[in-house]
Amino acid sequence: METIGFIGTGHLGYPIAENLLKAGYHLKIYNRTREKAQPLAQLGAALVNSPEETATKGGIVLSLVADDKAVEAIATDALVQALGAGGIHVSMSTISPDTSRALAAHHRQLGVEYVTAPVFARPEAAAAKAGSAVISGQPAAKDRISPVLQAGFAKNIFDLGEDPGSANVLKLMGNFMIGGAIELMAEAFALGEKNNVDPRVAYEMLTSTLFSGPIFRNYGNMILERKFRGNPSFNAALGLKDVDLVLQTARRSYTPMPLANLVQSRLTSILAKNIHDADWTALANGAREDAGLNV
């Protein structure tokens, strides 16, 4: 099968790379901390020493890194030239739509297509290939990379057209709605607790009837159990980065988003207390503190 380049094997990238190896793809992997990718070598991956070494002429490189600066740091002329004519760089990171548009234009100048394909999945969902991808870019490139995304993590793929920034906007919309749902549940559960409602019964009733989606079931359980700290798969700093991008995009399009401002404040409070091992679900603590429940 085809050799794929893969850049970034963090909490989310690792299970995607593992799935691709199990599906029979050959991977050339670069991770800034080489040791974290080492177990993938035992499954047959080749570990390389730079982003450009992941590329093959006319091939595909997937990248999944933390933020805009990290994408810009790996999407150098060296990487794009190593891909060459007919090559495709698939950016699965959650970044600014403006950054994606600029990168796409630069790639195209060198004959390489840039497809935006951010991941909707926590690591356990990606491992089970139960996630969703939203993709934007040139049609032929999207057709070529879709089977790779399906083998890596995506049960569903949603096509946003040719504007490379569109998929990033939808990813930001989704993450904002998750953050808003966490705040919504935190406030509702605080109201119940202050009024002697059994939180487990409230959770089961609400998330099995009116609010039965996976976000309410999964994040609601984390809030109920207060599973906020330890080894987060999506930490508060990344959550804040995403909400900052939401508000940046909102400002540029004159879109008022007061709930996003509240979620941003909640996440900022977590980091202001130097709580660096918090999942972004810990923003729910803000509603509890406001209600006097953490005193």
Side-chain angles (χ1 to χ4, degrees):
M1 290 186 73
E2 186 174 7
T3 297
I4 303 291
F6 201 103
I7 301 171
T9 54
H11 284 296
L12 190 54
Y14 189 99
I16 296 173
E18 186 175 31
N19 282 340
L20 290 171
L21 288 165
K22 290 177 178 177
Y25 287 96
H26 305 288
L27 294 191
K28 293 195 291 183
I29 293 177
Y30 171 76
N31 194 64
R32 188 174 59 180
T33 306
R34 185 184 179 94
E35 293 74 20
K36 292 183 179 179
Q38 194 64 48
L40 294 169
Q42 298 173 12
L43 296 176
L47 304 188
V48 298
N49 297 313
S50 67
E52 56 268 26
E53 289 180 62
T54 65
T56 56
K57 288 294 182 184
I60 297 171
V61 168
L62 310 178
S63 65
L64 182 49
V65 293
D67 53 28
D68 293 54
K69 287 183 179 179
V71 175
E72 291 169 337
I74 61 101
T76 61
D77 284 354
L79 173 66
V80 181
Q81 289 167 354
L83 274 167
I88 304 172
H89 176 194
V90 184
S91 175
M92 301 189 293
S93 307
T94 303
I95 60 173
S96 162
D98 290 341
T99 297
S100 277
R101 292 175 183 125
L103 287 171
H106 181 66
H107 279 59
R108 195 164 296 120
Q109 288 174 352
L110 298 174
V112 173
E113 291 298 336
Y114 176 95
V115 177
T116 308
V119 178
F120 277 90
R122 285 179 76 95
E124 57 274 16
K129 293 196 272 191
S132 294
V134 291
I135 60 175
S136 54
Q138 292 302 304
K142 289 184 292 189
D143 289 344
R144 184 177 166 194
I145 62 102
S146 289
V148 180
L149 300 179
Q150 290 169 332
F153 73 93
K155 180 179 179 181
N156 305 294
I157 297 177
F158 299 89
D159 192 333
L160 272 292
E162 296 188 16
D163 173 11
S166 293
N168 291 119
V169 175
L170 183 51
K171 174 61 174 174
L172 294 176
M173 291 164 59
N175 280 14
F176 160 68
M177 291 177 73
I178 295 170
I182 294 170
E183 174 67 24
L184 172 73
M185 288 185 285
E187 292 183 22
F189 289 172
L191 176 66
E193 189 170 342
K194 292 281 288 196
N195 288 275
N196 301 314
V197 173
D198 185 318
R200 175 57 63 179
V201 174
Y203 164 79
E204 291 294 346
M205 181 271 159
L206 290 169
T207 64
S208 64
T209 56
L210 300 175
F211 304 96
S212 58
I215 294 302
F216 290 100
R217 288 291 295 177
N218 297 338
Y219 283 100
N221 186 64
M222 292 177 70
I223 295 168
L224 189 68
E225 302 292 340
R226 300 181 202 169
K227 294 179 180 178
F228 298 147
R229 299 183 63 177
N231 184 30
S233 56
F234 191 72
N235 63 45
L238 286 175
L240 180 60
K241 180 266 296 185
D242 287 358
V243 177
D244 285 345
L245 287 175
V246 168
L247 288 168
Q248 177 189 99
T249 305
R251 282 192 298 273
R252 290 179 180 175
S253 57
Y254 298 106
T255 308
M257 299 187 74
L259 180 55
N261 282 294
L262 174 57
V263 172
Q264 181 190 53
S265 179
R266 298 290 200 205
L267 291 166
T268 300
S269 294
I270 294 167
L271 297 174
K273 297 169 185 173
N274 291 315
I275 304 173
H276 297 294
D277 64 342
D279 190 272
W280 79 317
T281 321
L283 72 89
N285 260 334
R288 292 185 55 80
E289 289 171 357
D290 288 351
L293 291 172
N294 285 350
V295 177

